[in-house]
Amino acid sequence: MKIGRNQPCPCGSRKKYKKCCLNKPAQAGTFVYTDLDQLSNSVWTYIQAEKWTKAEDACQKLLTQYPEQIDGLHRSAELWEARGDNARASDFYKKAANFAKTAGGFDQNTIDSFMNKAEQLAG
């Protein structure tokens, strides 16, 4: 089964596959993360630690510094879902789905996943 770049990594990290194991060398070695990777992954770390302000700040940086990437929308959706603000989370999942539709490079499963999540949270 082929894993989409924006799907959760099968290693269980809850990071996107492209941010986790996609580019890891097959042999032991060092993987260099970009600033975008580090910032995006920091959001999940803050969410797990319930450091809401830091997570929100990191999401805002993603949205402003990397508007051409889906990370800010996706991580914002995860943040608001974790905080229990389903309406806000649903809105961000819809935005992520629309971004994925128009940006290209995303498979239909990714788009559907975002839309399904948005619909579930909208109630």
Side-chain angles (χ1 to χ4, degrees):
M1 182 174 109
K2 184 177 178 184
I3 302 167
R5 290 172 32 82
N6 290 296
Q7 294 296 318
C9 190
C11 77
S13 67
R14 295 206 37 137
K15 298 175 186 174
K16 293 179 186 180
Y17 179 56
K18 70 180 180 183
K19 306 284 187 208
C20 192
C21 292
L22 175 67
N23 294 317
K24 283 188 179 175
Q27 301 172 354
T30 305
F31 179 76
V32 178
Y33 285 100
T34 66
D35 290 341
L36 170 61
D37 296 329
Q38 291 174 354
L39 183 57
S40 183
N41 291 337
S42 75
V43 175
W44 185 247
T45 301
Y46 292 139
I47 289 170
Q48 288 179 310
E50 296 184 4
K51 294 182 178 182
W52 307 123
T53 302
K54 288 186 177 196
E56 192 172 349
D57 290 346
C59 285
Q60 191 58 45
K61 284 181 185 177
L62 285 168
L63 291 166
T64 57
Q65 293 177 5
Y66 302 98
E68 72 286 353
Q69 301 294 327
I70 199 168
D71 297 66
L73 299 171
H74 186 195
R75 294 301 189 187
S76 293
E78 292 175 329
L79 167 63
W80 295 112
E81 182 179 5
R83 292 197 69 181
D85 190 335
N86 291 350
R88 209 163 179 185
S90 177
D91 184 51
F92 274 106
Y93 278 119
K94 286 177 191 172
K95 289 176 182 179
N98 289 331
F99 181 96
K101 284 180 194 175
T102 59
F106 296 89
D107 63 15
Q108 190 60 46
N109 288 337
T110 299
I111 296 165
D112 292 344
S113 175
F114 286 138
M115 283 307 296
N116 289 339
K117 195 70 165 170
E119 290 168 3
Q120 287 174 352
L121 293 170

